[in-house]
Amino acid sequence: MAVVEINNVNLTYRVLMNRRGSIRDLFKEAVAGRARIVNYVALQDVSFTVDAGEVVAILGRNGAGKSTLLKILAGVLPPTKGTAKVNGSIAPMIELGAGFHPEMTGAENVVFYSALMMRDIKKVKARVAEIGEWAGVGDHMNFPLRTFSSGMVARLAFSTATDVQPEVLLIDEVLAVGDADFKEKSGARMTQLITSGAAVVLVSHDMAAVRRLANRAIWLENGHVRMSGEANEVVDAYEAG
Amino acid sequence: MKYAQLIRLLVARDLTIRYKRSVIGIGWTLLNPMLTSIVMWFVFSFVFASRLPSGQQFAPYLMAGILLNTFFNQGLMLSAESIASNGGVLTKIYVPPQIFAISSALAGLVNFFIGMIPLAVVCFLSGQSLAWSLPLVLIVGVCLAFLVAGLGLALSIVFIRFDDTRNIVNVLLMILMYLTPIFYPISVMNPTMQHIIRLNPLTSYLEVFRWAFSNNAFPTWHNWAYMFITAACSFILGASVFKKFWPRTVAML
């Protein structure tokens, strides 16, 4: 059974005039008989499956619908049409550190972030010191996050997010973080997570990494699947234009 | 329930974060209603204290009103704001968004209970004692939390879709506050106004609360029924409005 199953997924954003309306604008437009709703199609008829142990890369230019697709997989955005099924625990590596609060300590943030990802916080609490140690911020864990440098925050977020081996891994451009030393360390951990049996969906502009890590690739163009197949072939075609 | 640990963390965060940089920390939760009550007591006790029916005391009357109103106002605004302000999380990690609104309402409930400690002190100082019906304040608190969570859920959708509704809601909350007998006895109003004030659900919550806490009011069974009905309706309607509109609203975050 496929771990990730996407069937004929469509996603249409309804854009009301500007991104955000005010009641006054809405009223004016309604009176003038032109409450304009623009439909913006972000994804059209996208289908694919990912099995356990498979790494599928999503390629495409900016605005092709890659991030929207990941959000649908993460369960954050419901598709307008079609179905998206994911069986298993998801680790969304999408802009790490969502929910970090500057006034809470490093340790408190690790626990809170883990709880958001539905991990059992009893187990997390026992691992907080180790997570901080791995991120190289072990002696800062009891200080508020606002006293951390941005690099330290990124490392702590990465260390927390990758602490547990998930069944489904969604990756949006986070293959490595931090300075040169940490990049190597985090890259290695990421590679290990990707290659140890999870179903992986990977969005990246780093074609070398895609060739190295992915089995299959899907090339998105303006919300359509332009090409889908063996990773090297799709990357070749994508790079050719 | 699998979200219990997250709700606990969210409530704890809501309660502590606001006072993180202050010296007495969560002590402000005790001090705030006391200070507000003292100010309002100076202003209004001359006008209204003598007009309460016999057996009622003005200081605990006023403070109970302030406590309940603070729970409603702050809880509602925080709850309605919570989903927009956690948009960063909600667009990246799947968490049922309702959890944020409910946690804010629960944080308001905890504050409400903490605020009863100074209220008890004021009761004793003004010669009253706590009533045997005290445990019933739990029911009032839980009902009010349901009312707040339901309204908060519905409003959170509106807040995300229309920026300027925040100001409108603030004005409405102020009107609602004056239509709640917080610092005046209902009997000072003319019959039409009394009727309007009784239509305000918060009036019922407050009457029941004052009675349950220290027998400092005389609620009827109408008040009880109105409290239960508004709490249930608010939560059910708010939750279903939220469920219906959320899929399209999340795309706007």
Side-chain angles (χ1 to χ4, degrees):
Chain A
M1 190 183 66
V3 179
V4 176
E5 251 185 281
I6 299 291
N7 274 315
N8 306 314
V9 160
N10 282 256
L11 194 110
T12 310
Y13 288 109
R14 295 164 86 242
V15 187
L16 189 64
M17 295 149 309
N18 306 318
R19 210 174 82 82
R20 276 202 169 181
S22 74
I23 287 192
R24 205 186 74 166
D25 291 344
L26 187 69
F27 187 70
K28 268 177 15 201
E29 302 261 321
V31 167
R34 52 186 173 88
R36 289 234 326 271
I37 293 168
V38 183
N39 283 331
Y40 174 77
V41 179
L43 289 175
Q44 205 163 28
D45 225 12
V46 177
S47 301
F48 64 90
T49 60
V50 187
D51 287 318
E54 233 185 344
V55 182
V56 175
I58 311 286
L59 315 178
R61 317 221 176 280
N62 290 327
K66 305 185 298 291
S67 295
T68 302
L69 184 57
L70 274 195
K71 283 182 181 180
I72 289 176
L73 288 172
V76 160
L77 207 57
T80 318
K81 259 194 274 171
T83 56
K85 262 193 282 179
V86 177
N87 309 305
S89 61
I90 305 178
M93 309 275 158
I94 306 171
E95 293 173 48
L96 298 177
F100 269 13
H101 197 292
E103 290 296 337
M104 297 199 298
T105 67
E108 285 168 342
N109 271 302
V110 167
V111 171
F112 187 74
Y113 187 32
S114 306
L116 282 174
M117 291 185 284
M118 287 299 141
R119 293 180 192 162
D120 182 359
I121 56 169
K122 280 196 208 96
K123 288 182 198 154
V124 175
K125 276 181 178 157
R127 288 196 47 78
V128 163
E130 207 170 318
I131 291 171
E133 212 53 60
W134 196 87
V137 297
D139 47 350
H140 283 70
M141 291 300 276
N142 292 321
F143 294 108
L145 204 70
R146 65 183 148 80
T147 64
F148 285 42
S149 73
S150 55
M152 286 158 72
V153 173
R155 274 165 17 210
L156 186 61
F158 184 90
S159 174
T160 313
T162 56
D163 189 56
V164 172
Q165 172 72 49
E167 289 156 280
V168 181
L169 195 55
L170 308 173
I171 305 168
D172 195 354
E173 294 289 1
V174 269
L175 290 170
V177 295
D179 54 26
D181 280 351
F182 199 80
K183 257 205 167 73
E184 198 176 314
K185 191 171 156 188
S186 56
R189 186 185 251 200
M190 209 67 202
T191 308
Q192 194 220 325
L193 278 183
I194 290 173
T195 53
S196 59
V200 184
V201 179
L202 167 73
V203 167
S204 182
H205 290 287
D206 179 356
M207 289 306 141
V210 170
R211 281 181 199 278
R212 181 162 51 84
L213 295 166
N215 315 112
R216 282 193 293 134
I218 291 164
W219 175 4
L220 283 184
E221 198 175 64
N222 298 323
H224 295 270
V225 175
R226 164 129 179 217
M227 187 181 169
S228 158
E230 202 272 321
N232 281 319
E233 283 171 30
V234 179
V235 173
D236 286 341
Y238 179 70
E239 282 179 328
Chain B
M1 184 197 159
K2 71 196 248 223
Y3 299 114
Q5 59 168 8
L6 183 56
I7 291 177
R8 250 197 330 270
L9 286 176
L10 274 169
V11 171
R13 191 177 77 164
D14 270 6
L15 290 175
T16 53
I17 225 80
R18 207 162 0 140
Y19 304 114
K20 239 344 176 327
R21 288 192 187 204
S22 69
V23 183
I24 62 167
I26 202 155
W28 280 110
T29 313
L30 294 167
L31 219 53
N32 261 337
M34 287 230 271
L35 296 176
T36 318
S37 303
I38 290 170
V39 173
M40 284 182 87
W41 186 81
F42 271 113
V43 178
F44 292 113
S45 64
F46 302 104
V47 194
F48 295 120
S50 58
R51 309 191 58 173
L52 275 174
S54 66
Q56 280 179 294
Q57 286 292 334
F58 188 67
Y61 182 91
L62 173 70
M63 194 164 163
I66 288 168
L67 213 55
L68 191 123
N69 190 253
T70 308
F71 178 13
F72 181 77
N73 270 7
Q74 276 185 7
L76 182 58
M77 285 319 263
L78 287 176
S79 173
E81 230 25 285
S82 66
I83 296 192
S85 58
N86 285 294
V89 173
L90 290 169
T91 52
K92 284 165 204 92
I93 303 174
Y94 175 74
V95 183
Q98 292 92 331
I99 281 184
F100 290 97
I102 290 170
S103 299
S104 297
L106 288 177
L109 179 62
V110 174
N111 271 330
F112 181 58
F113 285 137
I114 295 175
M116 286 183 203
I117 299 168
L119 177 59
V121 174
V122 169
C123 274
F124 287 125
L125 290 179
S126 55
Q128 284 191 328
S129 51
L130 302 185
W132 290 110
S133 48
L134 185 66
L136 294 178
V137 297
L138 270 171
I139 297 178
V140 181
V142 170
C143 282
L144 196 51
F146 272 107
L147 183 81
V148 165
L151 288 173
L153 279 169
L155 273 184
S156 64
I157 295 278
V158 180
F159 278 10
I160 295 168
R161 293 196 165 206
F162 305 107
D163 266 340
D164 43 7
T165 43
R166 283 176 182 78
N167 303 313
I168 300 172
V169 170
N170 269 324
V171 175
L172 290 179
L173 282 177
M174 196 167 73
I175 296 172
L176 199 65
M177 186 195 88
Y178 283 110
L179 289 179
T180 314
I182 294 170
F183 53 82
Y184 57 81
I186 309 180
S187 54
V188 301
M189 295 293 175
N190 66 42
T192 324
M193 278 308 289
Q194 285 193 24
H195 193 67
I196 295 173
I197 289 166
R198 285 187 198 287
L199 277 178
N200 173 8
L202 290 179
T203 305
S204 287
Y205 286 78
L206 188 51
E207 288 286 287
V208 174
F209 175 51
R210 281 172 177 148
W211 169 79
F213 198 81
S214 59
N215 285 344
N216 202 22
F218 317 103
T220 61
W221 69 270
H222 282 112
N223 293 126
W224 282 93
Y226 200 33
M227 180 175 85
F228 287 124
I229 292 168
T230 49
C233 288
S234 160
F235 191 71
I236 293 166
L237 284 176
S240 46
V241 163
F242 187 86
K243 204 169 175 191
K244 181 167 182 340
F245 289 102
W246 175 249
R248 291 203 161 157
T249 309
V250 64
M252 298 180 183
L253 279 174

